[in-house]
């Protein structure tokens, strides 16, 4: 069997602190895999600079100048983690690509298992975190709660798998046919079909620097995942609206009955105000949810490019 040409895709946003160490470790792994005959000699690292504001790109240029196995792709601005991944996947010449975060929180050694699973016939291999002891309680709680919610909403997703995965050339080409602007890779990849496998690993702490996913970005990303893959919230609104309508109708009948048959007046204004506020709240909430989807249609209909490549080394 021919040896596969591997591309390791590393999205980088303000990662100057970790980059030299990350490159050193990944290059060591690469040469070891080459020695074992697991991958071909022209396998390489691809650092995608996602509009960093620090010295990340200079760092990538230096690494690329010093080592022929290091390549850099510079996006014209910050396009987001998912788009940086896509840029790398579509630009790197390879038979197999593995994407991994720059901070090496995900154990690179798991790549051996991924390549073995690929040789065994899998086109997609998911890296799955075995434990999250290195994450803060907050991160663990929100992340695991989120996976649970997505599963509940009917989004097909691999539990505790982030963006550490192997994709074959076939899988990358299939992925290229998904034209949506708001690409939520964790939801799209399972939709590709193909044979897949799972490789478990331990997740450790960041090598250096701080998380590039502050709470605000995490919430935006979480909403993205839900609204890109599930219309359950829209449907929930419909059911909720239906229930409220039925209750209001029943309440109206009851009020008429009291007035006309039992001849009881309604003295309070509470019975008027409470439903008014309540329904007002429901309306605003519902409009918000619908607005979220309308915004999505708006963005998709513009069909703007997901990323623009400025330079490559
Ligand atoms: N990242 C990126 N663009 C962004 C934010 C993050 O390319 O706008 C990259 C970042 O450099 C890292 C990966 O995405 O390689 C994951 O980010 P991070 O490790 O900070 O996330 P966490 O592990 O805290 O969820
Ligand atoms: Mg990280």
């Amino acid at each position: 069997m021919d040896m596969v040409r591997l591309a390791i895709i590393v999205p980088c946003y303000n990662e100057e602190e970790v980059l030299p160490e990350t490159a050193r470790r990944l290059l060591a792994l690469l040469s070891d895999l080459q020695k074992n005959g697991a991958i071909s000699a022209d396998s390489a690292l691809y650092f995608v600079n996602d509009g960093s504001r620090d010295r990340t790109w200079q760092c990538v240029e230096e690494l690329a100048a010093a080592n022929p196995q290091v390549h850099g792709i510079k996006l014209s601005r910050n396009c987001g983690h998912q788009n940086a991944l896509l840029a790398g996947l579509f630009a790197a010449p390879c038979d197999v690509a593995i994407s991994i975060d720059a901070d090496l929180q995900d154990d690179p050694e798991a790549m051996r298992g991924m390549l073995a699973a690929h040789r065994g016939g899998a086109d997609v291999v998911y890296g799955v975190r075995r434990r999250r002891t290195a994450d803060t309680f907050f991160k663990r709680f929100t992340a695991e709660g989120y996976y649970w919610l997505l599963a509940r909403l009917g989004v097909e997703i691999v539990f505790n798998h982030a963006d550490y995965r192997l994709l074959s050339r076939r899988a990358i080409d299939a992925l290229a046919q998904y034209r949506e602007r708001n690409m939520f890779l964790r939801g799209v990849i399972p939709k590709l079909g193909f044979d897949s496998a799972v490789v478990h690993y331990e997740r450790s702490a960041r090598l250096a620097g701080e998380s590039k996913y502050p709470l605000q970005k995490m919430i935006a990303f979480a909403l993205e995942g839900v609204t890109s893959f599930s219309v359950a919230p829209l449907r929930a609104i419909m059911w909720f609206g239906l229930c409220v309508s039925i209750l209001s109708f029943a309440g109206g009948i009851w009020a008429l009955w009291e007035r006309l048959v039992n001849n009881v007046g309604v003295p309070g204004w509470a019975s008027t105000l409470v439903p008014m506020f309540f329904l007002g709240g429901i309306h605003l909430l519902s409009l918000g949810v619908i607005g979220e989807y309308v915004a999505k249609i708006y963005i998709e209909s513009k069909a703007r490019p997901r990323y623009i490549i400025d330079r490559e080394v």
Side-chain angles (χ1 to χ4, degrees), residues 5 48 57 62 66 69 73 88 129 139 164 184 202 222 238 251 253 267 310 312:
R5 181 176 185 180
V48 185
W57 180 246
E62 285 161 24
Q69 288 194 308
I73 298 166
R129 296 156 184 178
K139 179 94 187 181
Y164 185 23
F184 184 66
E202 305 290 338
M238 194 193 73
I253 301 261
D310 177 3
E312 290 182 67

Side-chain angles (χ1 to χ4, degrees), residues 7-11 44-48 84-85 87-89 92 97-101:
I8 300 181
I9 314 289
V10 189
L45 297 183
Y46 289 85
F47 289 105
V48 185
L85 279 173
L89 287 172
I98 298 180
S99 50
I100 188 166
D101 288 354

Side-chain angles (χ1 to χ4, degrees), residues 9-155:
I9 314 289
V10 189
C12 309
Y13 177 59
N14 296 344
E15 299 284 12
E16 61 177 0
E17 287 152 297
V18 297
L19 222 53
E21 176 63 12
T22 299
R24 197 185 62 72
R25 287 203 204 173
L26 291 179
L27 281 170
L29 179 66
L30 214 55
S31 74
D32 193 51
L33 286 169
Q34 280 163 347
K35 230 177 292 159
N36 296 343
I39 56 173
S40 71
D42 51 3
S43 298
L45 297 183
Y46 289 85
F47 289 105
V48 185
N49 176 33
D50 185 18
S52 299
R53 280 184 297 249
D54 63 359
R55 293 191 67 259
T56 299
W57 180 246
Q58 284 93 312
C59 196
V60 171
E61 279 183 326
E62 285 161 24
L63 286 164
N67 199 309
Q69 288 194 308
V70 175
H71 297 277
I73 298 166
K74 182 173 187 261
L75 301 188
S76 59
R77 58 185 292 270
N78 181 248
C79 301
H81 182 196
Q82 304 289 294
N83 289 322
L85 279 173
L86 289 177
L89 287 172
F90 296 148
C94 62
D95 303 316
V96 173
I98 298 180
S99 50
I100 188 166
D101 288 354
D103 55 9
L104 294 195
Q105 280 190 286
D106 308 305
D107 184 10
E109 292 297 317
M111 288 187 196
R112 297 178 198 275
M114 290 184 173
L115 287 164
H118 172 68
R119 282 192 295 276
D123 280 288
V124 179
V125 186
Y126 302 101
V128 172
R129 296 156 184 178
R130 197 176 280 129
R131 268 181 284 130
R132 280 177 169 264
T133 39
D135 281 338
T136 60
F137 171 76
F138 178 72
K139 179 94 187 181
R140 200 160 71 209
F141 182 75
T142 50
E144 293 191 343
Y146 178 58
Y147 286 116
W148 178 86
L149 177 72
L150 279 181
R152 275 299 143 98
L153 290 175
V155 183

Side-chain angles (χ1 to χ4, degrees), residues 15-309:
E15 299 284 12
E16 61 177 0
E17 287 152 297
V18 297
L19 222 53
E21 176 63 12
T22 299
R24 197 185 62 72
R25 287 203 204 173
L26 291 179
L27 281 170
L29 179 66
L30 214 55
S31 74
D32 193 51
L33 286 169
Q34 280 163 347
K35 230 177 292 159
N36 296 343
I39 56 173
S40 71
D42 51 3
S43 298
L45 297 183
Y46 289 85
F47 289 105
V48 185
N49 176 33
D50 185 18
S52 299
R53 280 184 297 249
D54 63 359
R55 293 191 67 259
T56 299
W57 180 246
Q58 284 93 312
C59 196
V60 171
E61 279 183 326
E62 285 161 24
L63 286 164
N67 199 309
Q69 288 194 308
V70 175
H71 297 277
I73 298 166
K74 182 173 187 261
L75 301 188
S76 59
R77 58 185 292 270
N78 181 248
C79 301
H81 182 196
Q82 304 289 294
N83 289 322
L85 279 173
L86 289 177
L89 287 172
F90 296 148
C94 62
D95 303 316
V96 173
I98 298 180
S99 50
I100 188 166
D101 288 354
D103 55 9
L104 294 195
Q105 280 190 286
D106 308 305
D107 184 10
E109 292 297 317
M111 288 187 196
R112 297 178 198 275
M114 290 184 173
L115 287 164
H118 172 68
R119 282 192 295 276
D123 280 288
V124 179
V125 186
Y126 302 101
V128 172
R129 296 156 184 178
R130 197 176 280 129
R131 268 181 284 130
R132 280 177 169 264
T133 39
D135 281 338
T136 60
F137 171 76
F138 178 72
K139 179 94 187 181
R140 200 160 71 209
F141 182 75
T142 50
E144 293 191 343
Y146 178 58
Y147 286 116
W148 178 86
L149 177 72
L150 279 181
R152 275 299 143 98
L153 290 175
V155 183
E156 210 181 313
I157 197 160
V158 180
F159 191 75
N160 263 344
H161 156 71
D163 287 303
Y164 185 23
R165 69 173 80 80
L166 175 148
L167 293 174
S168 67
R169 173 49 45 197
R170 278 209 306 164
I172 297 170
D173 290 344
L175 183 63
Q177 294 177 39
Y178 284 72
R179 306 303 311 167
E180 61 219 70
R181 301 301 97 189
N182 294 295
M183 186 72 104
F184 184 66
L185 282 167
R186 285 165 220 192
V188 171
I189 304 279
K191 290 240 178 283
L192 296 178
F194 293 132
D195 285 343
S196 67
V198 165
V199 167
H200 291 272
Y201 64 91
E202 305 290 338
R203 177 162 162 102
S204 47
R206 238 177 188 279
L207 278 183
E210 54 197 33
S211 175
K212 306 300 181 284
Y213 266 103
L215 186 63
Q216 200 190 344
K217 257 192 192 174
M218 241 157 66
I219 292 174
F221 187 60
L223 264 182
E224 195 64 57
V226 172
T227 53
S228 297
F229 278 90
S230 171
V231 290
L234 286 177
R235 223 162 268 155
I237 283 180
M238 194 193 73
W239 286 114
F240 196 63
L242 196 68
C243 290
V244 171
S245 307
I246 290 172
L247 282 177
S248 313
F249 188 69
I253 301 261
W254 171 75
L256 269 181
W257 181 267
E258 289 287 274
R259 186 75 190 87
L260 298 176
V261 180
N262 297 342
N263 209 11
V264 186
V266 184
W269 47 270
S271 49
T272 322
L273 277 194
V274 171
M276 212 174 81
F277 284 137
F278 178 65
L279 285 177
I282 301 287
H283 282 155
L284 287 180
L285 177 77
S286 310
L287 282 177
V289 175
I290 292 167
E292 197 53 48
Y293 286 91
V294 172
K296 193 126 290 179
I297 296 169
Y298 171 64
I299 289 168
E300 294 295 339
S301 68
K302 281 189 292 191
R304 287 183 175 170
R306 289 184 282 217
Y307 55 83
I308 290 168
I309 294 178

